[in-house]
Amino acid sequence: MNRRSRFISIVALAISFAWAYWDTIRELVATWEREPDYSHGFLVVPFALGFLWVRRSDLPRISPAPNAWGIGLIVVSVVFRWVGLRYAFDSFDGYSMIIWLSGAVLLVGGRQLFFWTMPAVLFLFFMVPLPFQVERLLSVPLQRVATALSCFSLQCLGQPAFAEGTTILLGTHELHVEQACSGMRIFVGAFALAFAYLIASRRELWEQALLLCCVVPIALVANASRITITGLLYRYATDSEVAQKFNHDSAGWVMILIAATLFALTQRYLMCLVRQVEVMRLDDLVTRNRVDA
């Protein structure tokens, strides 16, 4: 396929994508604006483009070669979308869009370009809300864990905190850990943050595995810290609106900062745990010994 044919194919695919998924994109943007748990969706596409920029050094070694298997992926995306519409799985519509993009890349650019773009394409899954059934299944146990950890933290700080279900009795105040406070937002954000770091840093496989294992405890600590700070504000702030404002406006940013700090400390620990060994050739070592002598 020459450049002109490839350009025409890309334009045709872009028009087809816009026509097929314009309503889906609008619905995703509306969800990001409406649901605080998925407000990070606005950052997903810029980050995905940033990953492609970070990996640009590998691009000159890629020889575009159209692959017919891309048509198969596009067909899979159509089937995926039909299942979502047929059984009211709204998230499947967004997932099918990402599968369609993967198929288009494979169809036009071939296997090498497909694998080069795959980390960025996979990152796009973070912009699609989880299916309601999955979100509900995860939120309930997360509420209980968040309540227990936050209550324990407040007790360690000398506060009269007691947990009843998903409610923390804190002196004369009742701190309700609702579904919105379960930590689903920080879990999705923490996984996205870890995924972004793994793509950008290209660390060893064992380091990547350890960092992914740290996502769950880091997310739990970040969410418990938010609830603990909110409880302390209710106890000591002269105006209860300060605590409410923090919980609804600033808490999300605080959790992300805490999670990012914990990820950085984890990475720093791994760097101290395993030190780089300088590899020297034998003739270099002999030459150095002669100079020292």
Side-chain angles (χ1 to χ4, degrees):
M1 181 183 292
N2 55 39
R3 291 185 178 180
R4 182 178 179 182
S5 300
R6 185 176 294 111
F7 176 77
I8 295 175
S9 300
I10 292 174
V11 172
L13 288 171
I15 294 174
S16 302
F17 177 80
W19 174 79
Y21 286 104
W22 180 250
D23 290 338
T24 303
I25 296 173
R26 291 177 58 186
E27 183 60 31
L28 283 176
V29 173
T31 301
W32 301 340
E33 293 177 344
R34 183 178 63 250
E35 300 291 340
D37 287 352
Y38 296 103
S39 58
H40 63 273
F42 288 104
L43 301 176
V44 171
V45 174
F47 268 78
L49 295 176
F51 298 151
L52 295 179
W53 176 257
V54 170
R55 296 166 57 86
R56 68 188 184 280
S57 59
D58 299 332
L59 193 57
R61 297 193 295 268
I62 297 176
S63 301
N67 193 312
W69 283 103
I71 299 176
L73 276 178
I74 293 177
V75 172
V76 169
S77 71
V78 173
V79 174
F80 217 70
R81 192 178 196 186
W82 178 85
V83 171
L85 294 175
R86 177 67 175 80
Y87 297 100
F89 294 151
D90 295 337
S91 298
F92 278 32
D93 200 16
Y95 295 149
S96 71
M97 178 176 63
I98 301 172
I99 298 173
W100 193 98
L101 287 173
S102 302
V105 172
L106 182 60
L107 178 62
V108 175
R111 292 180 57 186
Q112 290 182 337
L113 188 64
F114 173 78
F115 287 113
W116 179 75
T117 59
M118 190 49 54
V121 172
L122 290 177
F123 190 74
L124 294 177
F125 277 95
F126 289 107
M127 72 180 181
V128 181
L130 293 172
F132 174 77
Q133 295 83 351
V134 176
E135 186 175 345
R136 182 67 179 176
L137 182 65
L138 294 176
S139 294
V140 174
L142 285 177
Q143 281 179 266
R144 298 186 180 279
V145 173
T147 303
L149 286 178
S150 304
C151 184
F152 176 76
S153 300
L154 288 168
Q155 290 174 351
C156 290
L157 294 174
Q159 302 300 316
F162 300 93
E164 287 189 358
T166 58
T167 300
I168 299 177
L169 303 178
L170 188 60
T172 59
H173 301 280
E174 291 186 0
L175 192 58
H176 299 280
V177 183
E178 301 175 353
Q179 184 175 352
C181 304
S182 62
M184 181 62 66
R185 181 194 315 182
I186 188 58
F187 261 90
V188 176
F191 271 106
L193 192 63
F195 193 86
Y197 175 79
L198 295 181
I199 295 174
S201 62
R202 302 187 183 184
R203 307 298 299 179
E204 296 291 337
L205 183 61
W206 68 271
E207 292 181 277
Q208 297 179 3
L210 282 178
L211 191 63
L212 288 177
C213 291
C214 292
V215 169
V216 174
I218 286 176
L220 291 174
V221 170
N223 190 43
S225 300
R226 176 186 65 83
I227 300 174
T228 301
I229 294 173
T230 303
L232 292 175
L233 288 175
Y234 272 115
R235 284 280 292 171
Y236 296 109
T238 56
D239 189 355
S240 61
E241 292 184 0
V242 175
Q244 295 177 0
K245 186 176 181 180
F246 169 81
N247 192 36
H248 291 92
D249 298 336
S250 305
W253 295 105
V254 171
M255 287 192 298
I256 292 296
L257 289 175
I258 293 175
T261 302
L262 292 175
F263 274 122
L265 291 175
T266 302
Q267 175 56 26
R268 183 65 180 174
Y269 172 75
L270 292 177
M271 292 176 62
C272 296
L273 187 64
V274 179
R275 297 185 178 276
Q276 295 291 335
V277 178
E278 182 181 359
V279 179
M280 297 184 61
R281 294 166 51 186
L282 182 59
D283 53 351
D284 293 337
L285 183 60
V286 172
T287 302
R288 177 179 294 183
N289 290 336
R290 287 177 178 176
V291 173
D292 294 339

